[in-house]
Every structure is written in structure tokens, then in C-alpha cells.
Amino acid sequence: MEPGVTRPPNNRTRLLLRLCLVIAVLAATGGVAEAQGDRAGERDAASTAHPVEGLRLQCAADLVNGERGVLCRWSEATNPITRAYRLYRITDGSARELVATVGGDGRLGYFDTDVSAPSTLVYGVVSLNRNGRLIGQSSPA
């Protein structure tokens, strides 16, 4: 070959060039994913800037005015922007269902009469701000 003249790449060289291109694309994609992960981490950190308050919940079978049910009572949220509480129930492992929404009118309990024996019931309560954002929650009871 004459000096200064390049010859066309052979099959091995083409394969090596394609492999380098694939590696470069994967590296670039991984970099984008890492950057997106960092931004997602920043969003998570921002959302936990105001931690969710823990509420205490107690529920027990009760008889009120001759009617059987489950009386649930919860602690008052200390967050001053609390506007409502929502009580949820899971019956025999089924999907969670909303039992009641109680406004911020000072009521801190609910008597659930829509139950039947024998059932396994699990309750949970959450507190919400005026925008419906979760600001407090209980452990299951």
C-alpha cells in the first residue's frame, strides 16, 4: 500500500467498530438512567422533607345502642394543617376499602356497623391536609 492511503476496514474491524458503538450507547444510556435516578432521589428527599406523622389507632368490637360493630378511635394529629381523617378497612385479606371520612371537626372515632362475623378485620387511619395530601397515618389495627 502507498503511504497516506487507507484501506477499507475488513469484517473484523467493522465488528470491533460496531461493538465500540454499542458500548458507547450503553454507557450513555446508563448515564442518563443514573441522572434520572439522582433526580428521583432528589424528589424522594423533597417529599420526605415533611415526614408523615404517626397516628395511634385502636379498634375493638363493641355494642352501641343495641347495635354490634367495631369502634375505632385514633389520636389527634398534631399537624395544624390536618383537615380530615380517612378510616380504611381490609376484610378477610380483600382489597382495602374506605369506611369513613371524618372532617377536622374534633371527632376522633367511628363506629363501623357494616361488619359481619366471623371476619378478620384490619383497620388503618390517615390524616390529610386541605389538598388531600397524606400527612399522617397509623399502623394497622
Side-chain angles (χ1 to χ4, degrees):
M1 275 198 109
E2 298 176 31
V5 176
T6 59
R7 60 183 171 152
N10 62 22
N11 287 339
R12 185 175 179 188
T13 305
R14 284 185 190 144
L15 181 61
L16 187 57
L17 288 172
R18 284 184 183 162
L19 183 58
C20 288
L21 179 62
V22 167
I23 291 171
V25 168
L26 289 175
T29 305
V32 169
E34 287 175 15
Q36 289 172 341
D38 289 344
R39 283 194 293 271
E42 291 170 7
R43 281 192 303 271
D44 290 344
S47 68
T48 58
H50 301 287
V52 174
E53 177 181 357
L55 300 173
R56 289 182 316 280
L57 174 66
Q58 294 179 339
C59 297
D62 206 345
L63 184 66
V64 176
N65 296 329
E67 193 167 15
R68 294 178 191 266
V70 177
L71 180 59
C72 292
R73 294 178 188 213
W74 52 86
S75 61
E76 183 174 14
T78 60
N79 193 325
I81 63 172
T82 299
R83 295 294 178 257
Y85 299 93
R86 287 191 181 156
L87 180 67
Y88 292 93
R89 175 184 62 219
I90 297 173
T91 305
D92 294 325
S94 64
R96 178 182 76 161
E97 60 183 320
L98 178 63
V99 175
T101 299
V102 178
D105 58 4
R107 289 187 308 152
L108 298 172
Y110 183 81
F111 187 57
D112 183 12
T113 58
D114 189 22
V115 295
S116 60
S119 295
T120 302
L121 304 170
V122 178
Y123 289 89
V125 69
V126 298
S127 60
L128 308 169
N129 68 9
R130 66 183 173 92
N131 296 324
R133 183 174 162 256
L134 175 76
I135 55 175
Q137 70 183 27
S138 72
S139 295

